[in-house]
Amino acid sequence: MRKPFIAGNWKMNMTAESGTALIKELRPLVKEAKCEVALCVPAILIPAMVKAAKGSRIKIGAENVHWAEKGAYTGEISVNMLKEYGVKYVIIGHSERRQYFGETDETVNKRTLAALAGGLTPIVCVGETLKERESGKTNDVLDRQLTEGLKGVEDLTKLVIAYEPVWAIGTGKTATDEQAQETIAYIRKKLSKLFSRKEANRVRIQYGGSMNAKNCKGLMAQPDIDGGLIGGASLTTDFACIVNFDK
Ligand code: PGA
């Protein structure tokens, strides 16, 4: 059985004050949740959010991590720096990082291996652009992102995959339940070829892209969808409705 996992991605939003206030509101609302719950937040907010979420169902994650242990990498954050504050999850290879910050399958791979080696749970993002989908290249893109991004991973079940079609992120254009299910089933099939069937059946795959309080039930009812990576809707108490998708 794969335990559902709902994670928020605050991106470059919130402040220590507004984030603390939101977590305070969310705490009682997600108390009875049966799924795993995380909020991935800007690095500078991590200490304050870990404090705000202490003793609650909400675990705090980061939005990126560097592969080196330490050194001359201005602006980057290491696995140990995250762990020092009790961070458990880290988003890797989000499409915004691929699109605006030169992230490649190779750097996704390096970050993923470093996070795993340090005991963090990577949430590895994959997904096609609208142009790629419309030209029938979705499966090729996913094949490449999975093959290159997960190269050398020893235990697939130690990470989480987030399937985020780029055209659905922040656009209000969610993939239909069927589209999301079909593509995520394809990802699972590909993973069973790259790893083993057993690992592919156990790894959790989230859907991400305009998932909200209204559409989460339908998406979560799909057999291969094990959770969500939530952007916009994780900035309000709507996030609690998604966490409680089964209520
Ligand atoms: P969205 O973002 O929910 O605002 O579309 C999802 C994501 O980018 O992780």
Side-chain angles (χ1 to χ4, degrees), residues 7-9 11 91 94-96 125 162 164-165 168-172 207-212 229-234:
N9 172 12
K11 308 191 180 188
I91 297 174
H94 190 278
S95 68
E96 285 147 20
C125 303
E164 300 205 301
I169 296 176
T171 57
Y207 166 80
S210 300
M211 192 161 164
N212 58 37
L229 185 55
I230 321 297
S234 73

